Structure formats: C-alpha cells, structure tokens
Amino acid sequence: MPDITPIECGLPVPPEGAVVTVGTFDGVHRGHHDVLERLVQRATARGLPSVVITFEPHPLEVVNPAVAPPLLTLHQEKLELLAQSGVSYVAVLPFTPTLAAFEAEYFVDHVLRERFAMAELLVGHDHGFGRGRLGDITVLRALGAARGFGVTVLSPVHAADGTAISSTTIRKAISEGDLDRAAAGLGRPYSVSGVVVRGDQRGRTIGYPTLNLSAPSPRKLLPPDGVYAVRVQLPEGPFGGMLNLGPRPTFGDAGRRIETHVFDAGRDWYGAHIRLDFVRRLRGTRPFSGIDALRAQLADDERQARDALRQAGGESPMEFPA
C-alpha cells in the first residue's frame, strides 16, 4: 500500500464533517450540475459544508496518456464553472502515480475521510475510483456501511434523444461541429478562453479588424476549422462577433489561429482575458481569389452571424467608440 503522511483536514468544517462529491468534472455539464445541485441541497439540509474534490491533470493523462481525451474545460475554466455552482469548497488533488495506486479503501479512509472529513458521499451512477477504478458503487456502499458514512448514487441526466449526457458524448458533438447538441449537453454554449494578443493587423486593412486569441493548451478541444458566429465576453460585457478558426489560405498562412471580428466595438483589448462562446458554424475555411472576393464573403459572413445571434438572443446592442 502506498505510504502517505496523514494530514489534518485543512477545511474549516464542523465536527459532523462535510458532504462530498468526487470526480473529474470535465466540461461541468448538465449531468455534473445535477450532482452539484443535489450536493448543495443535501449539505444545506444537514447544516454541513459541501465539498467538491477534483483532479489535475485528468487521471488518464497519468494512467494511460495514449487514450487521454482532449479537454472540454481547461483547469481554470473548470474552476470558474465550479465556483458558480454554490458549493462551499472545491479541492484540487494533484493526480500522480502515487494517488493512482491507492486502493479504494485506502482512498476513502486516508483521503476522503481523514483529509476532507467526509460524512456523506454523493456520486454518479458510473463512478469508479481507486487503483484500476475497482472502487465501484458496490464497494462504496459496503465501505459506507462499515465506516458509517452515507452514499447517495445519482441517476444520469438524459438529452432530448434519450442518451445519457456525458463528457464523451459532448466531445463527439464538438468534434463533429454539432454545436447545438454540445450546448444542449453542457447547458451553455461551448467556449474557449484566452488573452488577446497582437496579430499582424491585416484585418484592419480590409475593414474587419480582429481580436487574436492566444493559442490555448493543445489539450483543449476545439471544433472543426471554419467561420463561426460567436458571443464575445469582453471586460465591458458581451458582444456579438464572427470568428475564424484555422488557417488563412488567401494569405498563404497555414497556422491555426483564433481571430474574432467583434461587432459594434472599436477597441483592441490587448492583454485582456476574454471568452468566446460558439453559437453557430457558418462555413468552412477556403481560399479566395483576392481581397475583394474575401471582403465580399466577410460581409456575407457578418450578415449570417448577426442573424444567428439574433435567433439565439445574443447580439449585444452595446456600442463603444473607436
């Protein structure tokens, strides 16, 4: 059995303990929200704090990197979403080979109970933990009965077509460019965040200046290359926009970029942290015969993007002077 030094729980919890859930929570999707809502409800009913325990990096990056999935939410994105859930605490455990080797019983006793004062555990129906994920629901219930903590197993949340919502199904939808299906599973549009960096300013010369987003981690899942209608979450608030994801073949640029033309706004926002919410895919990327042909296509893209945002209720009327 791996050896760790016992550590007193650092959370200000009462002697009665805390109501806990454990998981990777990639995407913080509708199924996760159901767990989080019930966690808060149960903790409130018992007068105890609610604790979410999650991991960094994704466990598969440690135990089987070859099959580790791309991420719906990078670490900071996940924390921001969890912070909106109303839970008392979020604890991030570094997922290491040592942690991966813990037997289920050891993890329950020395991590959940000893370090986080777990009095009750809420988990999803397919939860597995401990070495080889051998700590399934049956094992958890047996440990709960022996150790005196309650175990509540939650049923999956289903999409309109009857399939269970999961990070895996949402990844598939995004990879296929099915933004509506992804948003239905997430409970919000899929997004990417980053810092505005200086580009080559070519867009200004053709009447479509863009915000260039710093390249996200290669672990972040992006939809297929193309032009998208987006909501741009800026420090001043939300704006509509259109985004080009991928190369710029008209200019011979094969690099994959994320650049967004923001509607009705004239600032540059260099250094600002922004979020781009994907609303609708408008077309794929392709080369044009020249600047005039590209400019005409961009005008058509703008009309389509504004229509898509109006239909989604997301085009902002806010205007800022150039």
Side-chain angles (χ1 to χ4, degrees), residues 228-231 239-242 263-264 277 279-280 282 299-317 319:
Y228 293 83
V230 293
R231 295 190 185 98
F239 286 80
M242 59 184 187
F263 301 149
D264 309 317
D277 299 337
V279 175
R280 182 181 300 171
L282 304 178
D300 186 58
D301 293 340
E302 179 176 354
R303 285 191 293 272
Q304 292 187 60
R306 287 184 182 273
D307 285 345
L309 290 163
R310 278 192 290 269
Q311 292 170 19
E315 186 176 15
S316 171
E319 293 185 4

Side-chain angles (χ1 to χ4, degrees), residues 121-188:
L121 179 66
L122 274 73
V123 292
H125 71 288
D126 57 351
H127 186 78
F129 69 103
R131 188 172 66 180
R133 288 177 58 88
L134 296 178
D136 58 15
I137 299 303
T138 300
V139 170
L140 272 178
R141 285 177 167 150
L143 288 171
R147 305 303 198 263
F149 62 86
V151 177
T152 299
V153 180
L154 303 179
S155 299
V157 174
H158 291 90
D161 63 2
T163 59
I165 293 172
S166 69
S167 300
T168 299
T169 59
I170 295 170
R171 289 188 196 102
K172 184 175 186 294
I174 293 167
S175 297
E176 295 172 351
D178 191 345
L179 298 178
D180 289 342
R181 185 180 177 195
L186 290 166
R188 64 184 187 280

